Amino acid sequence: MSKKILSLDIGITSLGYSILEEVGSNRYSILDYGLSMFDKAIDKDGNSKKLLHSAASSTSNLYSLRKKRKKNLATLFEKFGLSLKTQLLQQEKENIYINKWELRAKKAFEEKLEVAELFTVFYALAKHRGYKSLDSGNLLEELCEELGIETTVVKVKTEDDEKGKIKSSLQNIEYLRLEFPDKTVAQIIYENEIQKETPTFRNHDNYNYMIRREYINDEIKKIIIMQDRFGFFGRNFDLDAFIVKVITTIDDQKDSTNDLS
């Protein structure tokens, strides 16, 4: 039986190969050969193309999941007999309600909303669900705080440290919650910001108003309960089920798990 040999020539952007068959003593015949060319693993700036592709895919997935959440929310309103899915999504496409923060933090706690108004509040929350870190270091630190375990924290003095800014903002929100325990975080932020000459509630390029995901979920519950007091829902409306469904529709991310040991 003749012996066959596979030869490879591996380069940074190419892979050459040949398959030889032994036909005698130190004599070989070429059965097949070829060359595959491909791009470098890094771009002209030295960045990993794989990492760039992964980042782009991650961003695309986030947008897809956000779009799915918003559609699921409209479907939920329709299932509970509040309005038609198509009408609700169309109103958001037209951006009928501009001042969503006023609806969310003021009007929702002062008077009965229209169905379209309540939906636009939750639609906004489905887009911006609040802060929830999946960083292992952050999770471990929060777990230790919850269990009362002391940890040694290395403080980073760099002004541009993103994690430091986020943590500082979250701590500031915690202080405000202690000061105003009967209000949602959105109410606290709105009442503080609306007093300024040019109020802004956008978090782009700053970390002033980072709201934890669990506080968003608590806000959803409080808004629904308050609207029920104003007579928004009918007598036989399953309020508890609606609260659970709205929260799980908006907060559809699986919780991270930690080994308590």
Side-chain angles (χ1 to χ4, degrees):
M1 182 177 181
S2 61
K3 181 169 63 175
K4 293 183 175 63
I5 300 174
L6 171 65
S7 299
L8 298 175
D9 181 9
I10 302 175
I12 297 176
T13 61
S14 64
L15 173 62
Y17 73 92
S18 66
I19 301 176
L20 308 179
E21 182 178 29
E22 187 178 36
V23 295
S25 178
N26 293 323
R27 296 177 60 200
Y28 300 91
S29 173
I30 295 179
L31 298 180
D32 192 15
Y33 65 93
L35 176 68
S36 295
M37 302 291 294
F38 43 87
D39 295 332
K40 288 185 178 180
I42 57 176
D43 63 12
K44 60 183 179 63
D45 298 320
N47 299 313
S48 168
K49 289 185 176 180
K50 181 174 177 59
L51 292 179
L52 292 173
H53 175 72
S54 297
S57 297
S58 178
T59 300
S60 178
N61 289 336
L62 286 175
Y63 280 116
S64 296
L65 291 172
R66 181 184 295 174
K67 186 176 181 180
K68 182 180 178 181
R69 284 198 304 272
K70 293 185 291 188
K71 287 185 176 180
N72 288 344
L73 183 64
T75 301
L76 178 65
F77 267 61
E78 185 172 83
K79 284 184 177 180
F80 275 83
L82 297 174
S83 183
L84 294 177
K85 173 182 177 179
T86 52
Q87 292 179 355
L88 294 171
L89 292 176
Q90 183 61 32
Q91 77 172 36
E92 296 308 316
K93 186 176 181 181
E94 297 174 4
N95 197 23
I96 295 175
Y97 299 100
I98 304 298
N99 199 339
K100 295 177 174 60
W101 269 86
E102 183 178 3
L103 284 174
R104 167 186 177 182
K106 188 175 188 294
K107 191 174 180 180
F109 293 92
E110 293 180 352
E111 60 184 271
K112 178 182 175 182
L113 298 177
E114 299 292 336
V115 173
E117 291 176 323
L118 183 65
F119 179 79
T120 204
V121 168
F122 292 155
Y123 188 89
L125 295 181
K127 291 171 62 178
H128 309 288
R129 303 183 297 168
Y131 176 79
K132 183 175 183 179
S133 174
L134 294 180
D135 180 84
S136 58
N138 293 341
L139 290 171
L140 181 59
E141 186 176 336
E142 291 183 6
L143 180 63
C144 288
E145 289 181 2
E146 183 180 339
L147 297 177
I149 302 174
E150 292 186 5
T151 57
T152 302
V153 180
V154 178
K155 295 185 179 180
V156 181
K157 296 183 179 179
T158 307
E159 291 183 358
D160 295 331
D161 177 45
E162 184 179 27
K163 289 185 178 180
K165 291 179 180 179
I166 291 174
K167 189 172 182 179
S168 176
S169 176
L170 291 174
Q171 288 177 341
N172 183 53
I173 292 295
E174 292 298 331
Y175 295 144
L176 290 173
R177 288 185 71 246
L178 291 174
E179 187 176 354
F180 305 101
D182 297 329
K183 296 180 179 180
T184 66
V185 174
Q187 285 178 295
I188 297 171
I189 291 173
Y190 178 81
E191 292 172 8
N192 179 61
E193 192 67 28
I194 203 66
Q195 298 177 34
K196 299 179 181 179
E197 185 175 348
T198 56
T200 177
F201 304 97
R202 297 176 66 83
N203 249 344
H204 298 293
D205 302 324
N206 73 73
Y207 302 91
N208 292 335
Y209 298 133
M210 301 289 293
I211 306 178
R212 290 186 182 276
R213 182 79 56 82
E214 56 264 35
Y215 301 157
I216 296 290
N217 294 342
D218 180 65
E219 179 184 354
I220 292 170
K221 181 178 179 180
K222 288 180 177 178
I223 288 174
I224 293 175
I225 291 175
M226 183 59 70
Q227 283 301 300
D228 183 53
R229 293 175 183 173
F230 289 134
F232 182 95
F233 305 100
R235 179 177 296 180
N236 297 322
F237 190 85
D238 194 341
L239 195 69
D240 292 335
F242 185 65
I243 291 172
V244 171
K245 290 290 185 180
V246 172
I247 291 176
T248 54
T249 298
I250 292 176
D251 186 11
D252 59 356
Q253 182 173 302
K254 292 182 179 179
D255 290 329
S256 297
T257 55
N258 292 298
D259 182 353
L260 294 182
S261 62

